[in-house]
Amino acid sequence: LYLASTLDGQVLGQLAEGEQSGDLESLRFFYSSVDWSPDGRLIAFPAKSRGADEINIYDVQARKRVDRIRPPLDGIRSPSWSPDGKRIVFAGFDGGRSDLFLCDVDGGEVRRLTDDRYSALEPRFSPDGRSILFTTDRGPETDHESLHFGPQQLALYDLESGEITVLPGQVGKSISPHFSPDGSSILYVGDRTGIANIYRYELESGTVIQLTDILTGVSGITPSSPPLSVSRNGKRLVFSAFEAGGWDLYSIKDPFEMAGLDSTTWVQPTTSSEIVRRATGLGDLMRDLVEERQRGEPGDGLADSGTLEDGSIAADSLVTVLTRPNLDDLMAPGRERPADSERPIETPGHPPPHF
């Protein structure tokens, strides 16, 4: 588990390492995600420890684990903090089924929220703490008797009533959802066109807006891996995409304010600098980046070798290409963590430079 800057992609250090001892056997990075506490001091992540999954609470500044939560379940995925930092919601596996669970940060009472045969994954609290956003296969396409399962869809769980509402107007798979700071919209990854890209769902109107059009899709290592992360203040988004034989990370500024993709107004750019600087919609921009990446032009943020330079697009631009780090070099003997004075600094009104 590593810490990196969302401004230039610089890897700032290793936080945890699995497969070295029974105390931290395996990090669940294929199907799970890590979440920051509201104060930005702690992270919560699942890992296998001595034969069972547990939620690890890790102090990023102190570089040490400060607590662990070990509910009596077969597996744990995607823990997420409540807005007040007192509770954690997560997807738990019990008897081959996934359900939503809620617990205190100190590992006290564990409360089961759902108890049915439908999947319940990737939970996140709403900003007001009254409901939980998650993904599920509940719907007309799922038939448990014939073992036919529909695609994952966005749904809301009301904490007071226990009522579950699947959001209307969804087509195809919808995963990795994140609320806007005011709770009025949701960013998620969907494949309604056959290729996974980033969409925004407006809760009041039910409008779905496509934000990216990446030819290779927005994805993690597997089709269900969470490929998207959003800061709590909604000012920064990071996603992964496969290209040139591996996964790269991209950082987007102000994703909830982005214009949607409009293919009817798309104009082919003529230079790489135009590709980087245009802001008519990230969909066009990202499509151009993928298509033009084979042709680099000196001085335009593209390396002469035809690959994008890490952090080459400025932090105040619409999108920043982060690094595909060489982690072997990162952990080489004698490598020191950069001093605070050497790290990039956000301008006032923007988030701290780390996810």
Side-chain angles (χ1 to χ4, degrees), residues 2-21:
Y2 293 87
L3 180 70
S5 167
T6 62
L7 298 186
D8 63 0
Q10 182 179 11
V11 179
L12 304 176
Q14 177 180 289
L15 301 182
E17 184 175 9
E19 303 176 2
Q20 299 298 311
S21 71

mmCIF file of all heavy atoms in Angstrom, residues 2-21:
data_model
loop_
_atom_site.group_PDB
_atom_site.id
_atom_site.type_symbol
_atom_site.label_atom_id
_atom_site.label_comp_id
_atom_site.label_asym_id
_atom_site.label_seq_id
_atom_site.Cartn_x
_atom_site.Cartn_y
_atom_site.Cartn_z
ATOM 1 N N TYR A 2 0.653 2.150 -0.963
ATOM 2 C CA TYR A 2 1.536 3.295 -1.144
ATOM 3 C C TYR A 2 0.766 4.612 -1.036
ATOM 4 O O TYR A 2 -0.445 4.659 -1.260
ATOM 5 C CB TYR A 2 2.223 3.233 -2.516
ATOM 6 C CG TYR A 2 3.201 2.089 -2.647
ATOM 7 C CD1 TYR A 2 2.765 0.832 -3.057
ATOM 8 C CD2 TYR A 2 4.540 2.263 -2.360
ATOM 9 C CE1 TYR A 2 3.655 -0.230 -3.169
ATOM 10 C CE2 TYR A 2 5.443 1.204 -2.476
ATOM 11 C CZ TYR A 2 4.994 -0.037 -2.874
ATOM 12 O OH TYR A 2 5.877 -1.080 -2.990
ATOM 13 N N LEU A 3 1.495 5.676 -0.722
ATOM 14 C CA LEU A 3 0.956 7.033 -0.664
ATOM 15 C C LEU A 3 1.573 7.841 -1.795
ATOM 16 O O LEU A 3 2.788 7.811 -1.995
ATOM 17 C CB LEU A 3 1.296 7.685 0.681
ATOM 18 C CG LEU A 3 0.806 9.121 0.895
ATOM 19 C CD1 LEU A 3 -0.708 9.150 1.027
ATOM 20 C CD2 LEU A 3 1.464 9.722 2.140
ATOM 21 N N ALA A 4 0.715 8.549 -2.557
ATOM 22 C CA ALA A 4 1.215 9.337 -3.686
ATOM 23 C C ALA A 4 0.512 10.681 -3.743
ATOM 24 O O ALA A 4 -0.590 10.848 -3.221
ATOM 25 C CB ALA A 4 1.015 8.575 -5.001
ATOM 26 N N SER A 5 1.147 11.636 -4.388
ATOM 27 C CA SER A 5 0.565 12.962 -4.582
ATOM 28 C C SER A 5 -0.419 12.937 -5.745
ATOM 29 O O SER A 5 -0.139 12.333 -6.790
ATOM 30 C CB SER A 5 1.667 13.975 -4.873
ATOM 31 O OG SER A 5 1.122 15.193 -5.350
ATOM 32 N N THR A 6 -1.559 13.606 -5.587
ATOM 33 C CA THR A 6 -2.519 13.714 -6.690
ATOM 34 C C THR A 6 -2.203 14.896 -7.588
ATOM 35 O O THR A 6 -2.898 15.127 -8.567
ATOM 36 C CB THR A 6 -3.952 13.865 -6.150
ATOM 37 O OG1 THR A 6 -4.027 15.067 -5.380
ATOM 38 C CG2 THR A 6 -4.334 12.682 -5.293
ATOM 39 N N LEU A 7 -1.163 15.661 -7.274
ATOM 40 C CA LEU A 7 -0.791 16.805 -8.100
ATOM 41 C C LEU A 7 0.208 16.438 -9.185
ATOM 42 O O LEU A 7 0.092 16.876 -10.328
ATOM 43 C CB LEU A 7 -0.197 17.921 -7.219
ATOM 44 C CG LEU A 7 -1.133 18.509 -6.162
ATOM 45 C CD1 LEU A 7 -0.464 19.681 -5.482
ATOM 46 C CD2 LEU A 7 -2.453 18.927 -6.771
ATOM 47 N N ASP A 8 1.210 15.620 -8.832
ATOM 48 C CA ASP A 8 2.213 15.266 -9.829
ATOM 49 C C ASP A 8 2.519 13.772 -9.871
ATOM 50 O O ASP A 8 3.382 13.343 -10.620
ATOM 51 C CB ASP A 8 3.505 16.054 -9.593
ATOM 52 C CG ASP A 8 4.151 15.732 -8.248
ATOM 53 O OD1 ASP A 8 3.595 14.892 -7.504
ATOM 54 O OD2 ASP A 8 5.199 16.325 -7.943
ATOM 55 N N GLY A 9 1.825 12.981 -9.051
ATOM 56 C CA GLY A 9 2.021 11.533 -9.090
ATOM 57 C C GLY A 9 3.222 11.032 -8.324
ATOM 58 O O GLY A 9 3.510 9.838 -8.356
ATOM 59 N N GLN A 10 3.949 11.908 -7.628
ATOM 60 C CA GLN A 10 5.124 11.469 -6.896
ATOM 61 C C GLN A 10 4.726 10.508 -5.783
ATOM 62 O O GLN A 10 3.861 10.803 -4.970
ATOM 63 C CB GLN A 10 5.857 12.667 -6.298
ATOM 64 C CG GLN A 10 7.132 12.287 -5.568
ATOM 65 C CD GLN A 10 7.856 13.489 -5.000
ATOM 66 O OE1 GLN A 10 7.304 14.593 -4.977
ATOM 67 N NE2 GLN A 10 9.077 13.293 -4.550
ATOM 68 N N VAL A 11 5.360 9.336 -5.760
ATOM 69 C CA VAL A 11 5.099 8.349 -4.718
ATOM 70 C C VAL A 11 5.875 8.763 -3.472
ATOM 71 O O VAL A 11 7.099 8.893 -3.497
ATOM 72 C CB VAL A 11 5.513 6.934 -5.164
ATOM 73 C CG1 VAL A 11 5.245 5.931 -4.055
ATOM 74 C CG2 VAL A 11 4.731 6.544 -6.415
ATOM 75 N N LEU A 12 5.155 8.982 -2.367
ATOM 76 C CA LEU A 12 5.750 9.531 -1.155
ATOM 77 C C LEU A 12 6.187 8.474 -0.158
ATOM 78 O O LEU A 12 6.803 8.793 0.846
ATOM 79 C CB LEU A 12 4.752 10.490 -0.487
ATOM 80 C CG LEU A 12 4.266 11.626 -1.386
ATOM 81 C CD1 LEU A 12 3.212 12.453 -0.680
ATOM 82 C CD2 LEU A 12 5.437 12.502 -1.816
ATOM 83 N N GLY A 13 5.847 7.229 -0.438
ATOM 84 C CA GLY A 13 6.324 6.186 0.446
ATOM 85 C C GLY A 13 5.394 5.003 0.533
ATOM 86 O O GLY A 13 4.268 5.034 0.064
ATOM 87 N N GLN A 14 5.891 3.940 1.109
ATOM 88 C CA GLN A 14 5.106 2.725 1.327
ATOM 89 C C GLN A 14 4.498 2.769 2.723
ATOM 90 O O GLN A 14 5.168 3.085 3.701
ATOM 91 C CB GLN A 14 6.005 1.495 1.182
ATOM 92 C CG GLN A 14 5.294 0.179 1.457
ATOM 93 C CD GLN A 14 6.213 -1.005 1.299
ATOM 94 O OE1 GLN A 14 6.612 -1.370 0.204
ATOM 95 N NE2 GLN A 14 6.574 -1.622 2.421
ATOM 96 N N LEU A 15 3.195 2.439 2.804
ATOM 97 C CA LEU A 15 2.506 2.447 4.082
ATOM 98 C C LEU A 15 2.417 1.061 4.702
ATOM 99 O O LEU A 15 2.554 0.906 5.912
ATOM 100 C CB LEU A 15 1.094 3.019 3.909
ATOM 101 C CG LEU A 15 0.992 4.447 3.362
ATOM 102 C CD1 LEU A 15 -0.467 4.876 3.300
ATOM 103 C CD2 LEU A 15 1.810 5.418 4.202
ATOM 104 N N ALA A 16 2.144 0.053 3.893
ATOM 105 C CA ALA A 16 1.990 -1.302 4.425
ATOM 106 C C ALA A 16 2.426 -2.298 3.360
ATOM 107 O O ALA A 16 2.352 -2.025 2.159
ATOM 108 C CB ALA A 16 0.541 -1.552 4.831
ATOM 109 N N GLU A 17 2.865 -3.464 3.801
ATOM 110 C CA GLU A 17 3.325 -4.507 2.894
ATOM 111 C C GLU A 17 2.739 -5.840 3.309
ATOM 112 O O GLU A 17 2.865 -6.249 4.472
ATOM 113 C CB GLU A 17 4.854 -4.578 2.893
ATOM 114 C CG GLU A 17 5.411 -5.582 1.900
ATOM 115 C CD GLU A 17 6.926 -5.543 1.845
ATOM 116 O OE1 GLU A 17 7.533 -4.864 2.700
ATOM 117 O OE2 GLU A 17 7.500 -6.184 0.956
ATOM 118 N N GLY A 18 2.059 -6.497 2.390
ATOM 119 C CA GLY A 18 1.459 -7.778 2.678
ATOM 120 C C GLY A 18 2.373 -8.939 2.348
ATOM 121 O O GLY A 18 3.469 -8.766 1.805
ATOM 122 N N GLU A 19 1.915 -10.134 2.692
ATOM 123 C CA GLU A 19 2.594 -11.382 2.354
ATOM 124 C C GLU A 19 3.978 -11.498 2.976
ATOM 125 O O GLU A 19 4.851 -12.180 2.454
ATOM 126 C CB GLU A 19 2.681 -11.556 0.833
ATOM 127 C CG GLU A 19 1.322 -11.527 0.153
ATOM 128 C CD GLU A 19 1.427 -11.602 -1.353
ATOM 129 O OE1 GLU A 19 2.558 -11.711 -1.873
ATOM 130 O OE2 GLU A 19 0.388 -11.550 -2.019
ATOM 131 N N GLN A 20 4.190 -10.810 4.096
ATOM 132 C CA GLN A 20 5.474 -10.899 4.784
ATOM 133 C C GLN A 20 5.362 -11.567 6.154
ATOM 134 O O GLN A 20 6.356 -12.015 6.704
ATOM 135 C CB GLN A 20 6.070 -9.489 4.952
ATOM 136 C CG GLN A 20 6.334 -8.778 3.643
ATOM 137 C CD GLN A 20 7.353 -9.496 2.779
ATOM 138 O OE1 GLN A 20 8.424 -9.868 3.244
ATOM 139 N NE2 GLN A 20 7.013 -9.705 1.508
ATOM 140 N N SER A 21 4.131 -11.571 6.704
ATOM 141 C CA SER A 21 3.932 -12.185 8.012
ATOM 142 C C SER A 21 2.471 -12.585 8.161
ATOM 143 O O SER A 21 1.611 -12.127 7.397
ATOM 144 C CB SER A 21 4.326 -11.214 9.134
ATOM 145 O OG SER A 21 3.393 -10.160 9.226
#
